Amino acid sequence: LKRLIELQVEKVATTGYEAHSATTGYEAHSATTGYRAHSATTGDRAHSATTGYHAIACSLGINSRAKAEKSWIVISDWRYNDGQWNLNRVCTAPIGGEIDNIVIEPNTWYWFEDGVLKSEK
């Protein structure tokens, strides 16, 4: 089982004008830098980060995280009820904007735990 999980871990990074990166799978990480460089992940515990202008860090998996330096983040709020995970909502905000009355800071990881927005620099 451990070997199977190791095979599912994917890490991708890109750089440059409109450089895009997308991953899926358990602990799949995606990072981009550059103007309009988008980063997207969908796996459980996946991380998405971007540093460019007009860029989007989108992380939609269960217990996933997103951070951006200059642009936007998109994160999902999953809840575990009755033995299964359910998508409660998807939130988006630009750096300096707010999610649940919390100002989104640059270069800060954001994620949801039990419906509460958490952050870590």
Side-chain angles (χ1 to χ4, degrees), residues 13-16 25 32 35 56 61 66 72 79:
T14 63
T15 186
T32 62
Y35 184 79
I56 299 169
W72 290 77
R79 309 280 177 91

Side-chain angles (χ1 to χ4, degrees), residues 4-54:
L4 178 61
I5 291 172
E6 288 174 354
L7 290 174
Q8 293 177 350
V9 175
E10 182 177 353
K11 297 176 180 156
V12 177
T14 63
T15 186
Y17 181 82
E18 293 188 358
H20 305 303
S21 171
T23 62
T24 188
Y26 182 80
E27 292 185 356
H29 304 317
S30 173
T32 62
T33 185
Y35 184 79
R36 291 188 183 163
H38 305 312
S39 171
T41 62
T42 62
D44 294 356
R45 298 182 187 230
H47 293 69
S48 177
T50 187
T51 63
Y53 288 101
H54 302 289

Side-chain angles (χ1 to χ4, degrees), residues 4-5 8 15 17 25 27 32 36-37 48 50 62 77-78 83-85 87 89 94 97 102 104-105 109 112 120-121:
L4 178 61
I5 291 172
Q8 293 177 350
T15 186
Y17 181 82
E27 292 185 356
T32 62
R36 291 188 183 163
S48 177
T50 187
I62 297 166
D77 175 14
W78 290 83
Q84 67 181 11
W85 286 98
L87 180 61
R89 62 186 171 147
I102 295 173
I104 303 303
E105 301 290 334
W109 288 108
F112 281 99
E120 175 181 80
K121 285 194 177 195

Side-chain angles (χ1 to χ4, degrees), residues 41-46 59-65 74-81 84-91 111-117:
T41 62
T42 62
D44 294 356
R45 298 182 187 230
S59 201
L60 299 176
I62 297 166
N63 295 319
S64 60
R65 297 175 183 216
V74 179
I75 53 176
S76 55
D77 175 14
W78 290 83
R79 309 280 177 91
Y80 191 77
N81 293 314
Q84 67 181 11
W85 286 98
N86 298 293
L87 180 61
N88 184 54
R89 62 186 171 147
V90 175
C91 297
W111 70 95
F112 281 99
E113 280 183 24
D114 298 320
V116 178
L117 184 65

